[in-house]
Amino acid sequence: MKGVFAKILYDAFREKKTTRYVFFGPDRSGVVIVDLRDGRIERVESTWGGGRKELTKVFVWGSGEYTERPLEEEPLPQELQQLELTLEDIPQEMLEAQAELLDSNGFNQEAVALEVIEEIRSHPRFHDLNRIEQMERVLAQLPTEVVFQHPVERWRTSHEIFRELRMGRQTGMVVAERERDGRYLGLVVEGRILGGLFVRSERPDEVLESRDALAEIRARSPVHPFSWRLLSFHDRHHEALIPFFTGQLILKGRLPLHTFLTWVEEVSAQPGEFQFALILDPERERSETVLLQLNQHIEAYHKGKVITLDRFRKGYARSRTLCVWAYGYA
C-alpha cells in the first residue's frame, strides 16, 4: 500500500486502532515499525535503532510504501494503562508553537501532535538517563569497597583530596557531594583523574563533564564543605569504565532483545579494547545490569552479583525491548 505516513498515523490515533505499521523509506533503504494499541504509540523501532526519535524518519520521508499488520493481543503494563491521552489533551498553543518544526505534506500539525502526545504520555522510566545518572546506576551494580571517606564535618578541599589520591596512586571512583551544592563523580587511575561529572543541585538536568566538572568542584569545595569517598573496584573493573569517560557512545536506544544479544556476540568476538554497557528493562522494572568486557571476557552483574551470560539471556527472555547505553571505541 501507499500513502501519506503522517495522515495514516494520525487517522490510526484518532480511530484508536490496535495495529502494527511498517513504513518503508525511499527505495526501501530502511524501515520504521510503529506499534499502536488502542490508538496510542506503544513502540517505535527502525533499521537504525529504537525510541521515539525514530518516528521522525516517518515524517521526513513524508509518503511511500507501508504495510499494516495485526498486533498481538498482549496486555499493556499497568503503568501505561494509566497514561491514556487524546488529541484534545494537548493545548492548541503547544501545537501551534511547534507546528513549523515538522512538515509532512500538509499534515505538520498532526505530526507534531503525535510527537507531543508521546512525550507527555511517556512514563518517567522511559526517559533517557543523563550521564551522571548512568554512572550512579553502574556503581549501584558493581561490587565496590570504601577506601576512605571524609564527612562534611572534616572539611577537605578538592586540592587536598586530589593530592592524597595522587600521592597514594589510588584507583577507583571519587565521590564528592553536598545536598545544597551538587555531586561530583570522578574516575581515578593510579592517582590520575581520567574524567569526571558534576551536577549542580540548582540545575539537576545539566551535567558538567571533564574539565568543566573538575573546575566546578575545585571552585566550590574551598567555599562549602563536601563529603568525600573513594570507592575501589574489584578486579580490573575500572578499566572497563574508562571508555565511559574517554571513549564514545557507540550504542544507544531501545533495542529488541535479539538485536542487543547480537551486538554482545560481536563485541565478545573483538580483541582489544575494554567496553561496557548499561542495560535497563523499562517494561518489567528489572534492575539494571552492567556488562563488562574484560579481555574478551563478558561479565553480567545483577543486583551486585555476577551472573553468567546464559543466565542473562534467560533473565531477559521475556523482555521485548531494552534501553541500552554502551560506551567503547569504534
Side-chain angles (χ1 to χ4, degrees), residues 231-244:
L231 307 176
S232 67
F233 300 106
H234 292 199
D235 302 320
R236 300 166 61 191
H237 293 163
H238 67 276
E239 294 181 293
L241 299 182
I242 291 175
F244 179 84

Side-chain angles (χ1 to χ4, degrees), residues 91-297:
Q92 185 66 25
E93 58 270 19
M94 183 179 292
L95 297 179
E96 293 173 352
Q98 300 189 41
E100 61 185 37
L101 296 179
L102 295 170
D103 186 3
S104 297
N105 297 10
F107 294 97
N108 57 340
Q109 195 169 83
E110 288 88 342
V112 173
L114 288 171
E115 286 282 278
V116 174
I117 288 171
E118 189 66 10
E119 182 66 30
I120 293 176
R121 179 163 41 213
S122 295
H123 192 279
R125 289 189 295 107
F126 291 179
H127 291 175
D128 281 350
L129 303 177
N130 64 40
R131 281 171 59 79
I132 203 162
E133 290 171 332
Q134 291 174 29
M135 185 48 60
E136 286 174 341
R137 289 173 182 261
V138 170
L139 291 177
Q141 290 298 313
L142 290 178
T144 58
E145 181 179 347
V146 178
V147 175
F148 67 72
Q149 54 185 344
H150 299 282
V152 172
E153 293 75 18
R154 296 176 57 189
W155 194 338
R156 303 291 301 277
T157 67
S158 61
H159 175 75
E160 294 174 312
I161 293 295
F162 293 150
R163 182 178 59 186
E164 183 177 336
L165 295 173
R166 187 171 59 253
M167 296 297 291
R169 298 180 64 85
Q170 298 280 10
T171 294
M173 185 69 66
V174 59
V175 182
E177 50 194 339
R178 185 174 187 267
E179 184 177 353
R180 286 174 290 179
D181 273 82
R183 181 172 171 84
Y184 172 81
L185 298 175
L187 182 64
V188 188
V189 178
E190 294 187 355
R192 186 163 61 98
I193 300 288
L194 293 190
L197 306 167
F198 190 97
V199 59
R200 304 184 182 103
S201 297
E202 65 270 22
R203 297 180 185 175
D205 296 331
E206 178 183 326
V207 179
L208 302 177
E209 301 181 30
S210 191
R211 293 182 178 180
D212 292 335
L214 198 58
E216 192 74 16
I217 189 63
R218 281 176 170 167
R220 292 191 180 224
S221 64
V223 180
H224 300 291
F226 280 73
S227 65
W228 292 85
R229 288 178 297 150
L230 178 66
L231 307 176
S232 67
F233 300 106
H234 292 199
D235 302 320
R236 300 166 61 191
H237 293 163
H238 67 276
E239 294 181 293
L241 299 182
I242 291 175
F244 179 84
F245 293 98
T246 63
Q248 56 187 309
L249 185 62
I250 59 177
L251 187 65
K252 174 187 176 183
R254 293 187 66 173
L255 304 176
L257 176 63
H258 65 85
T259 301
F260 175 73
L261 291 177
T262 299
W263 177 79
V264 169
E265 292 173 358
E266 292 177 353
V267 168
S268 61
Q270 296 174 3
E273 306 294 355
F274 297 95
Q275 303 183 51
F276 89 95
L278 170 63
I279 304 97
L280 176 63
D281 182 343
E283 297 174 354
R284 295 170 52 215
E285 298 195 26
R286 185 179 173 90
S287 299
E288 310 76 59
T289 299
V290 180
L291 288 188
L292 300 174
Q293 182 186 8
L294 301 173
N295 288 337
Q296 302 185 52
H297 174 61

Side-chain angles (χ1 to χ4, degrees), residues 42-59:
E42 185 178 85
R43 180 173 57 168
V44 181
E45 295 176 6
S46 80
T47 306
W48 303 272
R52 293 189 306 278
K53 66 183 185 304
E54 298 303 315
L55 193 62
T56 306
K57 293 181 175 62
V58 172
F59 303 137

